Amino acid sequence: MAVHVLAVLAYQEGDRVTSASLAGSVNTNPVIVRRLLLSLQRAKLVETCKGAGAGSRLSRSPRRINLAEVYRAVEDAESFATPARMPNAACPVGRCILEALSKLFASAQSAMEKDLAKTTLAGVIDTIKAAGACAGRKAA
């Protein structure tokens, strides 16, 4: 949802967009979008104004925002997490599984964030515009 919201803001090229408009694009409640915008604002990815001229816009160029930054702004926990319950230490698997999984999960998390860092919001917009042009040709 965060990438979707940021993509709408990037698509508007600096014009302020209200949370109601963003919510319409995402197909959710504006309150949910406002909560998301707070996280994005804390991460310095968006600026939001209330009152006259209300709305949000990107705080910098979409070429300078990568998806790893977006991920870190909105995700509280790591994508790969071990279970909250401790396994049975008397079991030979249970005794070692957390250590084995934590190394694997840390590696997977790092690889995912490195991959996300390679993609900018501008790249997402370019893909959206190309898909839109392609869809327009199919309809013709």
Side-chain angles (χ1 to χ4, degrees):
M1 187 183 313
V3 174
H4 186 144
V5 165
L6 292 170
V8 171
L9 297 177
Y11 201 85
Q12 294 301 318
E13 299 180 354
D15 291 341
R16 292 196 183 277
V17 182
T18 66
S19 58
S21 293
L22 293 167
S25 179
V26 176
N27 199 23
T28 193
N29 189 298
V31 172
I32 293 170
V33 171
R34 283 193 285 276
R35 285 187 201 134
L36 178 64
L37 287 168
L38 284 172
S39 295
L40 297 172
Q41 191 173 354
R42 273 187 236 114
K44 299 184 180 359
L45 298 173
V46 300
E47 323 175 320
T48 301
C49 289
K50 296 177 182 174
S56 298
R57 66 179 176 200
L58 296 179
S59 62
R60 60 185 189 257
S61 162
R63 298 214 177 286
R64 294 184 49 227
I65 297 173
N66 69 59
L67 297 190
E69 291 177 277
V70 177
Y71 171 79
R72 285 188 220 101
V74 297
E75 293 299 326
D76 294 332
E78 292 184 350
S79 296
F80 307 97
T82 54
R85 277 187 97 154
M86 293 300 293
N88 182 351
C91 170
V93 173
R95 184 173 38 247
C96 302
I97 193 72
L98 292 179
E99 183 179 343
L101 289 178
S102 68
K103 290 177 183 176
L104 175 66
F105 290 170
S107 174
Q109 183 75 30
S110 176
M112 180 186 69
E113 288 190 36
K114 283 179 185 171
D115 200 36
L116 288 172
K118 294 176 189 174
T119 303
T120 65
L121 187 56
V124 172
I125 290 298
D126 291 345
T127 302
I128 289 168
K129 287 180 177 178
C134 181
R137 284 194 300 267
K138 287 180 184 176

